[in-house]
Amino acid sequence: MRTARRAALGLATLAVLAGCGVVPAMPGDLPDDFVPDVEAPHLADPGALSPDGVDAAERMAVRIRNVGCGELTTGSGFALDERTVITNRHVVDDADRLQVTTYDGREIDAVSAGVADVADLALLRTAEPLTTVPGLAEVDAAVGDEITVVGYPRGGQLTTAAGSVLGYELDTLGSDLGMVGRSNARVDHGSSGSAVLGSDGQVVGVVYAMDVWGNSYLVPVSTLHDLLAEEAFEPITSCRDSAGD
């Protein structure tokens, strides 16, 4: 698996999208409102997936509630199989309890969670089965390919946002991801962990950040494949257990 380190390229400051977190990598304090609010596209957008594709996206997308020690944050995720959800590591950080909500309103507890050290990815196991829409793409999307992001921005309703892959560049968040994708599909806080779907409805990446111009950043599906093959997800510790250390 690629182990390229973050390069100091002077790229745009990125904001992780769970809750309202701001990347603390730049010197000095950053305002918490430097990422512009954007109106989230809805399922009826003409640039979104076909009706069959939207149905599949609805079934695979979940909202994630992170009940921490003194705070509540939300993120997004998607079903990998009937009891496995993929999301971002920062979505599940400092959790005491994790709960997923399905497209049809079911609330399901996560019974375990694991995170990867070298990428902003996490894997949850659910107490009850999810409606499964299998399909990870075998290869990463090409520059110029059309994509659709499916998730729950700001913890609200399920939305889709259409765009295209603008390019690939070295990760600027220090997560040792190597190359990450950049797209013009609009996302918002709470979109972290959203599935990025190719034109055939397969997952080609996972949203983990956005920049000041409204571009979204994604972990390529090739990185997800590598981590799943290497069983690289380590169990997380409850915030209550950490507080007692």
Side-chain angles (χ1 to χ4, degrees):
M1 188 178 72
R2 295 184 300 273
T3 59
R5 297 289 181 177
R6 173 170 64 104
L9 299 179
L11 298 176
T13 302
L14 303 182
V16 290
L17 302 175
C20 296
V22 175
V23 177
M26 298 294 288
D29 294 329
L30 291 174
D32 60 7
D33 60 351
F34 73 99
V35 178
D37 287 336
V38 293
E39 183 178 354
H42 299 285
L43 293 174
D45 278 1
L49 297 177
S50 65
D52 287 344
V54 168
D55 289 344
E58 287 178 338
R59 292 195 298 272
M60 75 187 305
V62 297
R63 181 192 294 110
I64 298 172
R65 297 174 72 248
N66 177 340
V67 183
C69 296
E71 63 179 345
L72 170 68
T73 59
T74 64
S76 302
F78 62 92
L80 183 65
D81 61 37
E82 69 172 11
R83 289 185 183 270
T84 306
V85 168
I86 297 296
T87 186
N88 289 147
R89 180 177 59 205
H90 70 262
V91 169
V92 304
D93 280 347
D94 299 320
D96 180 46
R97 180 186 178 195
L98 292 164
Q99 187 178 65
V100 301
T101 304
T102 62
Y103 75 100
D104 55 358
R106 285 192 301 145
E107 294 184 348
I108 302 173
D109 285 334
V111 296
S112 65
V115 296
D117 286 337
V118 295
D120 193 352
L121 291 174
L123 183 152
L124 311 182
R125 303 292 189 186
T126 60
E128 302 173 29
L130 302 161
T131 302
T132 303
V133 181
L136 295 181
E138 293 297 322
V139 297
D140 297 334
V143 176
D145 281 358
E146 294 183 355
I147 59 167
T148 303
V149 174
V150 185
Y152 294 85
R154 296 196 177 273
Q157 65 180 348
L158 178 65
T159 69
T160 67
S164 60
V165 177
L166 301 178
Y168 289 88
E169 57 199 50
L170 284 171
D171 172 42
T172 64
L173 292 183
S175 301
D176 290 333
L177 276 175
M179 301 301 286
V180 297
R182 176 170 52 90
S183 87
N184 55 7
R186 292 298 185 100
V187 294
D188 206 338
H189 298 293
S191 295
S192 281
S194 295
V196 182
L197 306 179
S199 58
D200 61 358
Q202 290 190 314
V203 176
V204 296
V206 185
V207 170
Y208 77 101
M210 64 181 175
D211 65 19
V212 295
W213 296 287
N215 295 319
S216 50
Y217 286 76
L218 59 104
V219 180
V221 71
S222 59
T223 299
L224 176 56
H225 276 301
D226 288 343
L227 294 174
L228 290 171
E230 296 173 9
E231 299 181 352
F233 294 88
E234 297 294 331
I236 66 171
T237 302
S238 166
C239 61
R240 294 186 185 278
D241 295 333
S242 298
D245 292 341

